[in-house]
Amino acid sequence: MLKRKSEKRNFEMTLLILTLSLFLLLVPVLRAEAARNFTDMMGRKITVPEKVNRVVTTYKSATQFVLALNAGDKLVGVSVKTDKQPLFVNLKPELAELPQVGSKRNGINLETTISTDPDLVILYPHRDAVETADKLEKQGIAALIINPESLSQIRETTELLGKVLSKEEKAAEVLSAYDRVNKLTEKTANLPESEKKKIYFANSEFTDSVGAEMMQTALIKKAGGINPAAELKSGFITVSPENILAWNPQLVVVSQYFNSDLDKLSQENKYQNTAAFKNNEIYRVPSKLEPWDFPSPSSFIAQLWLAQKAYPKEYEDLNYQKEVNDFYQTLYGKKFEELGGEF
């Protein structure tokens, strides 16, 4: 009898050990199945947890995308000067209290970033991004590089982050808002070339402009204009006053961060013979809430702003302020004016 009980106990113990061993063997497999694989916008293969609950953004655009996807509650670390950005402070004041991990210009502080215990770090596409991503992944932290430097890449970033953050439905809503703007500007985007206006864009200095393959050039094209500087070369470029005089633009558009007053600019003697200066068609891209001429989800609304500035008769029936308020309502859950935006 005792022998039988002993054999039964040994059998049960062996069964328990086998069960535990099988469980321990399966744990990595179950974890691997729970993890998800993506390709970031630098072509890197990355693995992220099934649920991404703690996110660090390392530059302003990344934070804008996370907020537009209604994932701001996941943020545990942000870039420097987040507490100085009107959109962020007005939409989600608690962001001002989060650890600031660095910036696109100066890189990030790895120690501060790691201390936030993130599931995911969203990195800028320049400088030391790949090297930083590798260092983070050696610490077991997923790092995703985004590159929203054109309108098509803004769409791609929205789709990618929608999947990574499990916000696919919200991403679809944001993409629909982009499509709405494209639909509204179709009539001027499709004008015959001979009827399109030349639009010169200036960055912080008047002779600092943009060439081909730049987001601002795409905005001009989508609005129905022609960027004459695109004929020179791609990227950020410096042009001469003689170039501007030869192009004779009908509109001049300057960045939100243009470092001079528009009234002062309009008095520049050397440009008075151009159509834009003659007709006082000189404008600053909105907005003080967030600059629409910098790559972000809000960049799309800039093409509607520009289209109705360039072709006011074509948009006489457009309720521009309503469209902008609706766009922001879709992206951020509040109207442009509710967030402190001004027309």
Side-chain angles (χ1 to χ4, degrees):
M1 177 69 90
L2 289 172
K3 184 179 178 182
R4 215 175 293 149
K5 283 183 178 180
S6 177
E7 288 175 349
K8 183 180 180 183
R9 194 178 300 113
N10 289 339
F11 173 76
E12 290 173 346
M13 186 62 70
T14 302
L15 186 62
L16 179 61
I17 290 170
L18 286 171
T19 302
L20 286 171
S21 299
L22 183 61
F23 175 76
L24 290 171
L25 285 169
L26 285 174
V27 164
V29 176
L30 292 171
R31 283 179 178 168
E33 288 178 354
R36 297 171 297 147
N37 298 316
F38 295 96
T39 302
D40 73 11
M41 295 179 72
M42 295 295 282
R44 297 169 54 256
K45 305 293 183 183
I46 69 164
T47 300
V48 302
E50 180 182 13
K51 292 184 178 180
V52 174
N53 294 317
R54 299 178 64 82
V55 177
V56 169
T57 51
T58 60
Y59 75 123
K60 181 178 176 179
S61 290
T63 306
Q64 289 168 298
F65 278 99
V66 171
L67 292 175
L69 292 168
N70 195 28
D73 58 327
K74 297 178 184 288
L75 289 169
V76 294
V78 290
S79 59
V80 298
K81 297 185 179 179
T82 289
D83 56 330
K84 308 296 184 187
Q85 303 297 328
L87 174 67
F88 300 160
V89 174
N90 295 345
L91 180 62
K92 210 166 182 62
E94 57 268 34
L95 295 185
E97 306 302 321
L98 293 179
Q100 297 188 0
V101 303
S103 67
K104 179 170 69 172
R105 174 173 292 182
N106 298 315
I108 68 169
N109 185 306
L110 280 173
E111 186 177 341
T112 303
T113 303
I114 293 168
S115 73
T116 65
D117 189 27
D119 298 318
L120 176 71
V121 175
I122 304 175
L123 286 163
Y124 40 80
H126 309 300
R127 295 185 73 257
D128 58 350
V130 174
E131 180 185 349
T132 301
D134 291 342
K135 288 178 180 178
L136 288 167
E137 290 186 345
K138 285 178 181 176
Q139 298 294 323
I141 299 170
L144 176 78
I145 300 174
I146 60 172
N147 187 30
E149 296 295 323
S150 68
L151 293 178
S152 61
Q153 288 173 325
I154 288 171
R155 293 187 68 94
E156 183 183 347
T157 302
T158 303
E159 292 174 338
L160 176 61
L161 287 177
K163 293 173 183 174
V164 172
L165 300 175
S166 301
K167 292 285 185 179
E168 290 94 341
E169 288 186 16
K170 179 62 177 179
E173 292 176 13
V174 174
L175 291 169
S176 293
Y178 300 163
D179 291 337
R180 167 73 178 170
V181 173
N182 284 334
K183 186 70 176 175
L184 288 170
T185 58
E186 265 184 358
K187 54 186 173 184
T188 49
N190 294 329
L191 285 171
E193 290 296 306
S194 60
E195 296 179 20
K196 291 182 177 181
K197 294 184 178 181
K198 289 182 182 179
I199 301 174
Y200 175 73
F201 176 85
N203 279 307
S204 57
E205 300 288 341
F206 192 61
T207 53
D208 289 341
S209 190
V210 293
E213 299 176 14
M214 292 294 286
M215 187 200 74
Q216 296 87 345
T217 298
L219 288 174
I220 291 171
K221 183 177 180 180
K222 289 278 191 177
I226 297 170
N227 175 15
E231 69 185 24
L232 298 180
K233 60 179 182 179
S234 60
F236 291 106
I237 59 176
T238 299
V239 305
S240 68
E242 289 72 27
N243 288 139
I244 298 169
L245 291 171
W247 292 328
N248 189 25
Q250 287 129 307
L251 266 78
V252 164
V253 175
V254 303
S255 171
Q256 174 62 208
Y257 292 142
F258 182 67
N259 65 10
S260 182
D261 181 82
L262 291 193
D263 289 336
K264 183 178 178 181
L265 173 62
S266 69
Q267 301 304 313
E268 281 274 1
N269 288 328
K270 67 182 77 170
Y271 302 116
Q272 293 304 313
N273 288 330
T274 63
F277 279 74
K278 283 181 180 177
N279 299 315
N280 198 29
E281 296 276 11
I282 305 170
Y283 306 101
R284 187 187 296 271
V285 179
S287 150
K288 291 181 180 179
L289 180 65
E290 57 170 344
W292 294 351
D293 58 310
F294 275 56
S296 76
S298 302
S299 297
F300 272 84
I301 202 66
Q303 78 186 51
L304 182 61
W305 168 81
L306 183 55
Q308 53 94 34
K309 286 291 186 187
Y311 305 99
K313 289 185 179 179
E314 296 289 341
Y315 294 93
E316 284 179 335
D317 298 330
L318 174 74
N319 189 335
Y320 168 71
Q321 293 190 8
K322 181 180 184 302
E323 292 294 341
V324 174
N325 276 320
D326 288 351
F327 183 87
Y328 269 78
Q329 182 74 47
T330 299
L331 265 63
Y332 300 118
K334 288 186 178 182
K335 295 179 179 179
F336 178 67
E337 290 171 292
E338 288 179 320
L339 287 166
E342 297 179 356
F343 290 104

mmCIF file of all heavy atoms in Angstrom, residues 38-80:
data_model
loop_
_atom_site.group_PDB
_atom_site.id
_atom_site.type_symbol
_atom_site.label_atom_id
_atom_site.label_comp_id
_atom_site.label_asym_id
_atom_site.label_seq_id
_atom_site.Cartn_x
_atom_site.Cartn_y
_atom_site.Cartn_z
ATOM 1 N N PHE A 38 7.271 45.611 -37.272
ATOM 2 C CA PHE A 38 7.016 46.698 -38.207
ATOM 3 C C PHE A 38 8.324 47.082 -38.901
ATOM 4 O O PHE A 38 9.416 46.739 -38.441
ATOM 5 C CB PHE A 38 6.459 47.935 -37.483
ATOM 6 C CG PHE A 38 5.108 47.728 -36.862
ATOM 7 C CD1 PHE A 38 4.985 47.386 -35.518
ATOM 8 C CD2 PHE A 38 3.952 47.891 -37.619
ATOM 9 C CE1 PHE A 38 3.746 47.187 -34.945
ATOM 10 C CE2 PHE A 38 2.709 47.699 -37.045
ATOM 11 C CZ PHE A 38 2.604 47.349 -35.701
ATOM 12 N N THR A 39 8.187 47.829 -39.981
ATOM 13 C CA THR A 39 9.335 48.454 -40.636
ATOM 14 C C THR A 39 9.180 49.959 -40.487
ATOM 15 O O THR A 39 8.143 50.513 -40.873
ATOM 16 C CB THR A 39 9.410 48.085 -42.130
ATOM 17 O OG1 THR A 39 9.492 46.664 -42.259
ATOM 18 C CG2 THR A 39 10.618 48.727 -42.790
ATOM 19 N N ASP A 40 10.182 50.613 -39.884
ATOM 20 C CA ASP A 40 10.045 52.053 -39.692
ATOM 21 C C ASP A 40 10.397 52.797 -40.977
ATOM 22 O O ASP A 40 10.673 52.184 -42.016
ATOM 23 C CB ASP A 40 10.836 52.545 -38.475
ATOM 24 C CG ASP A 40 12.353 52.572 -38.690
ATOM 25 O OD1 ASP A 40 12.806 52.404 -39.832
ATOM 26 O OD2 ASP A 40 13.077 52.763 -37.699
ATOM 27 N N MET A 41 10.399 54.122 -40.922
ATOM 28 C CA MET A 41 10.533 54.910 -42.144
ATOM 29 C C MET A 41 11.976 55.106 -42.587
ATOM 30 O O MET A 41 12.238 55.805 -43.555
ATOM 31 C CB MET A 41 9.792 56.236 -41.983
ATOM 32 C CG MET A 41 8.289 56.024 -41.827
ATOM 33 S SD MET A 41 7.326 57.539 -41.590
ATOM 34 C CE MET A 41 7.400 58.270 -43.215
ATOM 35 N N MET A 42 12.902 54.437 -41.894
ATOM 36 C CA MET A 42 14.281 54.358 -42.356
ATOM 37 C C MET A 42 14.591 52.947 -42.857
ATOM 38 O O MET A 42 15.746 52.602 -43.122
ATOM 39 C CB MET A 42 15.244 54.727 -41.224
ATOM 40 C CG MET A 42 15.118 56.168 -40.764
ATOM 41 S SD MET A 42 15.594 57.373 -42.036
ATOM 42 C CE MET A 42 17.369 57.271 -41.914
ATOM 43 N N GLY A 43 13.546 52.108 -42.955
ATOM 44 C CA GLY A 43 13.709 50.746 -43.447
ATOM 45 C C GLY A 43 14.176 49.755 -42.410
ATOM 46 O O GLY A 43 14.512 48.612 -42.743
ATOM 47 N N ARG A 44 14.191 50.150 -41.142
ATOM 48 C CA ARG A 44 14.638 49.271 -40.061
ATOM 49 C C ARG A 44 13.499 48.345 -39.630
ATOM 50 O O ARG A 44 12.363 48.770 -39.478
ATOM 51 C CB ARG A 44 15.091 50.094 -38.842
ATOM 52 C CG ARG A 44 16.278 50.994 -39.092
ATOM 53 C CD ARG A 44 16.512 51.957 -37.943
ATOM 54 N NE ARG A 44 16.641 51.272 -36.663
ATOM 55 C CZ ARG A 44 15.694 51.235 -35.732
ATOM 56 N NH1 ARG A 44 14.528 51.831 -35.927
ATOM 57 N NH2 ARG A 44 15.906 50.606 -34.608
ATOM 58 N N LYS A 45 13.825 47.093 -39.386
ATOM 59 C CA LYS A 45 12.852 46.152 -38.852
ATOM 60 C C LYS A 45 12.825 46.307 -37.337
ATOM 61 O O LYS A 45 13.877 46.237 -36.688
ATOM 62 C CB LYS A 45 13.237 44.712 -39.211
ATOM 63 C CG LYS A 45 13.440 44.468 -40.700
ATOM 64 C CD LYS A 45 12.147 44.595 -41.480
ATOM 65 C CE LYS A 45 12.371 44.268 -42.960
ATOM 66 N NZ LYS A 45 11.127 44.450 -43.757
ATOM 67 N N ILE A 46 11.656 46.514 -36.776
ATOM 68 C CA ILE A 46 11.554 46.688 -35.327
ATOM 69 C C ILE A 46 10.460 45.785 -34.762
ATOM 70 O O ILE A 46 9.540 45.380 -35.472
ATOM 71 C CB ILE A 46 11.273 48.153 -34.936
ATOM 72 C CG1 ILE A 46 9.854 48.569 -35.364
ATOM 73 C CG2 ILE A 46 12.296 49.095 -35.547
ATOM 74 C CD1 ILE A 46 9.382 49.827 -34.696
ATOM 75 N N THR A 47 10.587 45.494 -33.486
ATOM 76 C CA THR A 47 9.598 44.704 -32.767
ATOM 77 C C THR A 47 9.085 45.526 -31.595
ATOM 78 O O THR A 47 9.875 46.069 -30.823
ATOM 79 C CB THR A 47 10.206 43.384 -32.246
ATOM 80 O OG1 THR A 47 10.688 42.622 -33.359
ATOM 81 C CG2 THR A 47 9.158 42.564 -31.505
ATOM 82 N N VAL A 48 7.763 45.638 -31.500
ATOM 83 C CA VAL A 48 7.168 46.405 -30.404
ATOM 84 C C VAL A 48 6.229 45.496 -29.617
ATOM 85 O O VAL A 48 5.725 44.493 -30.131
ATOM 86 C CB VAL A 48 6.393 47.638 -30.925
ATOM 87 C CG1 VAL A 48 7.290 48.546 -31.740
ATOM 88 C CG2 VAL A 48 5.184 47.221 -31.749
ATOM 89 N N PRO A 49 5.976 45.829 -28.355
ATOM 90 C CA PRO A 49 5.059 45.015 -27.557
ATOM 91 C C PRO A 49 3.646 45.012 -28.148
ATOM 92 O O PRO A 49 3.284 45.910 -28.910
ATOM 93 C CB PRO A 49 5.070 45.719 -26.191
ATOM 94 C CG PRO A 49 6.306 46.550 -26.176
ATOM 95 C CD PRO A 49 6.550 46.943 -27.589
ATOM 96 N N GLU A 50 2.892 44.002 -27.766
ATOM 97 C CA GLU A 50 1.507 43.922 -28.247
ATOM 98 C C GLU A 50 0.747 45.197 -27.881
ATOM 99 O O GLU A 50 -0.005 45.744 -28.682
ATOM 100 C CB GLU A 50 0.811 42.703 -27.641
ATOM 101 C CG GLU A 50 -0.637 42.564 -28.109
ATOM 102 C CD GLU A 50 -1.333 41.380 -27.462
ATOM 103 O OE1 GLU A 50 -0.789 40.820 -26.488
ATOM 104 O OE2 GLU A 50 -2.434 41.035 -27.924
ATOM 105 N N LYS A 51 0.955 45.660 -26.651
ATOM 106 C CA LYS A 51 0.322 46.894 -26.217
ATOM 107 C C LYS A 51 1.399 47.928 -25.886
ATOM 108 O O LYS A 51 2.244 47.671 -25.034
ATOM 109 C CB LYS A 51 -0.572 46.652 -24.999
ATOM 110 C CG LYS A 51 -1.801 45.813 -25.311
ATOM 111 C CD LYS A 51 -2.719 45.685 -24.110
ATOM 112 C CE LYS A 51 -3.965 44.873 -24.456
ATOM 113 N NZ LYS A 51 -4.866 44.737 -23.269
ATOM 114 N N VAL A 52 1.334 49.044 -26.572
ATOM 115 C CA VAL A 52 2.270 50.131 -26.312
ATOM 116 C C VAL A 52 1.556 51.147 -25.424
ATOM 117 O O VAL A 52 0.643 51.841 -25.866
ATOM 118 C CB VAL A 52 2.731 50.795 -27.626
ATOM 119 C CG1 VAL A 52 3.593 52.018 -27.340
ATOM 120 C CG2 VAL A 52 3.493 49.789 -28.480
ATOM 121 N N ASN A 53 1.951 51.202 -24.167
ATOM 122 C CA ASN A 53 1.281 52.072 -23.200
ATOM 123 C C ASN A 53 2.136 53.252 -22.741
ATOM 124 O O ASN A 53 1.600 54.215 -22.184
ATOM 125 C CB ASN A 53 0.853 51.266 -21.969
ATOM 126 C CG ASN A 53 -0.205 50.239 -22.298
ATOM 127 O OD1 ASN A 53 -1.146 50.520 -23.038
ATOM 128 N ND2 ASN A 53 -0.048 49.031 -21.777
ATOM 129 N N ARG A 54 3.450 53.150 -22.949
ATOM 130 C CA ARG A 54 4.359 54.198 -22.482
ATOM 131 C C ARG A 54 5.245 54.649 -23.654
ATOM 132 O O ARG A 54 6.042 53.867 -24.167
ATOM 133 C CB ARG A 54 5.213 53.697 -21.311
ATOM 134 C CG ARG A 54 4.378 53.287 -20.096
ATOM 135 C CD ARG A 54 5.256 52.751 -18.972
ATOM 136 N NE ARG A 54 6.162 53.764 -18.437
ATOM 137 C CZ ARG A 54 5.823 54.672 -17.538
ATOM 138 N NH1 ARG A 54 4.578 54.719 -17.059
ATOM 139 N NH2 ARG A 54 6.715 55.554 -17.096
ATOM 140 N N VAL A 55 5.058 55.911 -24.069
ATOM 141 C CA VAL A 55 5.696 56.420 -25.280
ATOM 142 C C VAL A 55 6.519 57.667 -24.959
ATOM 143 O O VAL A 55 6.080 58.537 -24.203
ATOM 144 C CB VAL A 55 4.642 56.766 -26.352
ATOM 145 C CG1 VAL A 55 5.300 57.381 -27.594
ATOM 146 C CG2 VAL A 55 3.844 55.521 -26.736
ATOM 147 N N VAL A 56 7.699 57.734 -25.558
ATOM 148 C CA VAL A 56 8.533 58.934 -25.497
ATOM 149 C C VAL A 56 8.652 59.504 -26.903
ATOM 150 O O VAL A 56 8.953 58.779 -27.856
ATOM 151 C CB VAL A 56 9.942 58.624 -24.943
ATOM 152 C CG1 VAL A 56 10.870 59.831 -25.138
ATOM 153 C CG2 VAL A 56 9.867 58.257 -23.480
ATOM 154 N N THR A 57 8.404 60.805 -27.043
ATOM 155 C CA THR A 57 8.608 61.492 -28.320
ATOM 156 C C THR A 57 9.829 62.394 -28.201
ATOM 157 O O THR A 57 9.999 63.082 -27.194
ATOM 158 C CB THR A 57 7.376 62.331 -28.706
ATOM 159 O OG1 THR A 57 6.995 63.166 -27.605
ATOM 160 C CG2 THR A 57 6.214 61.432 -29.076
ATOM 161 N N THR A 58 10.667 62.391 -29.226
ATOM 162 C CA THR A 58 11.949 63.088 -29.139
ATOM 163 C C THR A 58 11.988 64.389 -29.940
ATOM 164 O O THR A 58 13.008 65.076 -29.934
ATOM 165 C CB THR A 58 13.080 62.175 -29.623
ATOM 166 O OG1 THR A 58 12.821 61.804 -30.994
ATOM 167 C CG2 THR A 58 13.169 60.918 -28.770
ATOM 168 N N TYR A 59 10.893 64.696 -30.626
ATOM 169 C CA TYR A 59 10.824 66.009 -31.279
ATOM 170 C C TYR A 59 9.361 66.383 -31.500
ATOM 171 O O TYR A 59 8.455 65.560 -31.368
ATOM 172 C CB TYR A 59 11.653 66.065 -32.551
ATOM 173 C CG TYR A 59 11.142 65.388 -33.802
ATOM 174 C CD1 TYR A 59 10.978 66.111 -34.980
ATOM 175 C CD2 TYR A 59 10.874 64.021 -33.839
ATOM 176 C CE1 TYR A 59 10.562 65.505 -36.149
ATOM 177 C CE2 TYR A 59 10.454 63.403 -35.004
ATOM 178 C CZ TYR A 59 10.295 64.157 -36.157
ATOM 179 O OH TYR A 59 9.886 63.556 -37.322
ATOM 180 N N LYS A 60 9.178 67.658 -31.805
ATOM 181 C CA LYS A 60 7.838 68.253 -31.828
ATOM 182 C C LYS A 60 6.871 67.515 -32.745
ATOM 183 O O LYS A 60 5.734 67.228 -32.355
ATOM 184 C CB LYS A 60 7.954 69.724 -32.248
ATOM 185 C CG LYS A 60 6.647 70.482 -32.288
ATOM 186 C CD LYS A 60 6.900 71.940 -32.670
ATOM 187 C CE LYS A 60 5.611 72.713 -32.823
ATOM 188 N NZ LYS A 60 5.879 74.133 -33.177
ATOM 189 N N SER A 61 7.294 67.213 -33.980
ATOM 190 C CA SER A 61 6.395 66.557 -34.933
ATOM 191 C C SER A 61 5.872 65.231 -34.399
ATOM 192 O O SER A 61 4.702 64.892 -34.586
ATOM 193 C CB SER A 61 7.104 66.341 -36.269
ATOM 194 O OG SER A 61 7.318 67.566 -36.929
ATOM 195 N N ALA A 62 6.746 64.476 -33.738
ATOM 196 C CA ALA A 62 6.325 63.181 -33.186
ATOM 197 C C ALA A 62 5.210 63.370 -32.172
ATOM 198 O O ALA A 62 4.233 62.606 -32.157
ATOM 199 C CB ALA A 62 7.516 62.474 -32.552
ATOM 200 N N THR A 63 5.332 64.381 -31.330
ATOM 201 C CA THR A 63 4.294 64.653 -30.333
ATOM 202 C C THR A 63 2.995 65.048 -31.013
ATOM 203 O O THR A 63 1.910 64.629 -30.596
ATOM 204 C CB THR A 63 4.754 65.773 -29.376
ATOM 205 O OG1 THR A 63 6.028 65.425 -28.820
ATOM 206 C CG2 THR A 63 3.755 65.968 -28.247
ATOM 207 N N GLN A 64 3.087 65.843 -32.081
ATOM 208 C CA GLN A 64 1.883 66.241 -32.812
ATOM 209 C C GLN A 64 1.140 65.024 -33.370
ATOM 210 O O GLN A 64 -0.090 64.949 -33.303
ATOM 211 C CB GLN A 64 2.257 67.210 -33.941
ATOM 212 C CG GLN A 64 2.672 68.590 -33.433
ATOM 213 C CD GLN A 64 3.304 69.439 -34.527
ATOM 214 O OE1 GLN A 64 4.349 69.079 -35.076
ATOM 215 N NE2 GLN A 64 2.696 70.554 -34.843
ATOM 216 N N PHE A 65 1.878 64.075 -33.923
ATOM 217 C CA PHE A 65 1.232 62.878 -34.468
ATOM 218 C C PHE A 65 0.579 62.047 -33.357
ATOM 219 O O PHE A 65 -0.543 61.552 -33.527
ATOM 220 C CB PHE A 65 2.247 62.025 -35.235
ATOM 221 C CG PHE A 65 2.494 62.493 -36.632
ATOM 222 C CD1 PHE A 65 3.615 63.261 -36.936
ATOM 223 C CD2 PHE A 65 1.609 62.191 -37.648
ATOM 224 C CE1 PHE A 65 3.847 63.708 -38.222
ATOM 225 C CE2 PHE A 65 1.829 62.632 -38.955
ATOM 226 C CZ PHE A 65 2.957 63.397 -39.238
ATOM 227 N N VAL A 66 1.266 61.896 -32.240
ATOM 228 C CA VAL A 66 0.700 61.118 -31.125
ATOM 229 C C VAL A 66 -0.584 61.771 -30.628
ATOM 230 O O VAL A 66 -1.592 61.087 -30.378
ATOM 231 C CB VAL A 66 1.727 60.980 -29.987
ATOM 232 C CG1 VAL A 66 1.086 60.365 -28.745
ATOM 233 C CG2 VAL A 66 2.914 60.112 -30.439
ATOM 234 N N LEU A 67 -0.591 63.080 -30.514
ATOM 235 C CA LEU A 67 -1.795 63.788 -30.059
ATOM 236 C C LEU A 67 -2.915 63.688 -31.091
ATOM 237 O O LEU A 67 -4.083 63.527 -30.728
ATOM 238 C CB LEU A 67 -1.466 65.253 -29.773
ATOM 239 C CG LEU A 67 -0.544 65.515 -28.578
ATOM 240 C CD1 LEU A 67 -0.208 66.999 -28.479
ATOM 241 C CD2 LEU A 67 -1.172 65.026 -27.275
ATOM 242 N N ALA A 68 -2.568 63.795 -32.375
ATOM 243 C CA ALA A 68 -3.581 63.701 -33.422
ATOM 244 C C ALA A 68 -4.236 62.321 -33.451
ATOM 245 O O ALA A 68 -5.381 62.176 -33.886
ATOM 246 C CB ALA A 68 -2.968 64.016 -34.784
ATOM 247 N N LEU A 69 -3.522 61.309 -32.967
ATOM 248 C CA LEU A 69 -4.053 59.946 -32.918
ATOM 249 C C LEU A 69 -4.734 59.647 -31.583
ATOM 250 O O LEU A 69 -5.037 58.496 -31.275
ATOM 251 C CB LEU A 69 -2.933 58.936 -33.192
ATOM 252 C CG LEU A 69 -2.390 58.966 -34.622
ATOM 253 C CD1 LEU A 69 -1.110 58.149 -34.732
ATOM 254 C CD2 LEU A 69 -3.431 58.453 -35.611
ATOM 255 N N ASN A 70 -4.948 60.706 -30.799
ATOM 256 C CA ASN A 70 -5.621 60.567 -29.495
ATOM 257 C C ASN A 70 -4.883 59.576 -28.597
ATOM 258 O O ASN A 70 -5.491 58.769 -27.894
ATOM 259 C CB ASN A 70 -7.080 60.136 -29.689
ATOM 260 C CG ASN A 70 -7.907 60.319 -28.428
ATOM 261 O OD1 ASN A 70 -7.605 61.184 -27.611
ATOM 262 N ND2 ASN A 70 -8.929 59.498 -28.266
ATOM 263 N N ALA A 71 -3.556 59.656 -28.624
ATOM 264 C CA ALA A 71 -2.733 58.760 -27.804
ATOM 265 C C ALA A 71 -1.873 59.553 -26.824
ATOM 266 O O ALA A 71 -0.862 59.039 -26.334
ATOM 267 C CB ALA A 71 -1.862 57.890 -28.701
ATOM 268 N N GLY A 72 -2.277 60.772 -26.541
ATOM 269 C CA GLY A 72 -1.498 61.615 -25.643
ATOM 270 C C GLY A 72 -1.371 61.070 -24.239
ATOM 271 O O GLY A 72 -0.392 61.357 -23.536
ATOM 272 N N ASP A 73 -2.344 60.245 -23.831
ATOM 273 C CA ASP A 73 -2.295 59.655 -22.493
ATOM 274 C C ASP A 73 -1.174 58.618 -22.359
ATOM 275 O O ASP A 73 -0.812 58.226 -21.248
ATOM 276 C CB ASP A 73 -3.636 59.005 -22.143
ATOM 277 C CG ASP A 73 -4.049 57.927 -23.139
ATOM 278 O OD1 ASP A 73 -3.721 58.060 -24.334
ATOM 279 O OD2 ASP A 73 -4.702 56.958 -22.724
ATOM 280 N N LYS A 74 -0.589 58.213 -23.485
ATOM 281 C CA LYS A 74 0.514 57.244 -23.458
ATOM 282 C C LYS A 74 1.872 57.915 -23.249
ATOM 283 O O LYS A 74 2.865 57.241 -22.975
ATOM 284 C CB LYS A 74 0.554 56.458 -24.776
ATOM 285 C CG LYS A 74 -0.683 55.591 -25.057
ATOM 286 C CD LYS A 74 -0.547 54.902 -26.404
ATOM 287 C CE LYS A 74 -1.802 54.104 -26.767
ATOM 288 N NZ LYS A 74 -1.929 52.880 -25.951
ATOM 289 N N LEU A 75 1.935 59.231 -23.397
ATOM 290 C CA LEU A 75 3.215 59.928 -23.330
ATOM 291 C C LEU A 75 3.765 59.957 -21.910
ATOM 292 O O LEU A 75 3.071 60.336 -20.968
ATOM 293 C CB LEU A 75 3.057 61.361 -23.855
ATOM 294 C CG LEU A 75 2.847 61.481 -25.366
ATOM 295 C CD1 LEU A 75 2.443 62.900 -25.748
ATOM 296 C CD2 LEU A 75 4.113 61.064 -26.123
ATOM 297 N N VAL A 76 5.042 59.565 -21.793
ATOM 298 C CA VAL A 76 5.734 59.610 -20.492
ATOM 299 C C VAL A 76 7.005 60.447 -20.570
ATOM 300 O O VAL A 76 7.669 60.687 -19.565
ATOM 301 C CB VAL A 76 6.064 58.185 -19.986
ATOM 302 C CG1 VAL A 76 4.790 57.424 -19.686
ATOM 303 C CG2 VAL A 76 6.936 57.421 -20.992
ATOM 304 N N GLY A 77 7.376 60.881 -21.787
ATOM 305 C CA GLY A 77 8.544 61.725 -21.993
ATOM 306 C C GLY A 77 8.392 62.449 -23.312
ATOM 307 O O GLY A 77 7.788 61.919 -24.254
ATOM 308 N N VAL A 78 8.901 63.682 -23.376
ATOM 309 C CA VAL A 78 8.725 64.512 -24.567
ATOM 310 C C VAL A 78 10.018 65.267 -24.875
ATOM 311 O O VAL A 78 10.983 65.208 -24.112
ATOM 312 C CB VAL A 78 7.561 65.513 -24.375
ATOM 313 C CG1 VAL A 78 6.216 64.793 -24.355
ATOM 314 C CG2 VAL A 78 7.761 66.324 -23.094
ATOM 315 N N SER A 79 10.008 65.998 -25.973
ATOM 316 C CA SER A 79 11.188 66.771 -26.371
ATOM 317 C C SER A 79 11.262 68.082 -25.592
ATOM 318 O O SER A 79 10.286 68.499 -24.950
ATOM 319 C CB SER A 79 11.142 67.057 -27.876
ATOM 320 O OG SER A 79 9.965 67.774 -28.211
ATOM 321 N N VAL A 80 12.424 68.723 -25.666
ATOM 322 C CA VAL A 80 12.603 69.989 -24.956
ATOM 323 C C VAL A 80 11.657 71.048 -25.507
ATOM 324 O O VAL A 80 11.252 71.002 -26.669
ATOM 325 C CB VAL A 80 14.062 70.494 -25.044
ATOM 326 C CG1 VAL A 80 15.015 69.508 -24.386
ATOM 327 C CG2 VAL A 80 14.467 70.739 -26.490
#
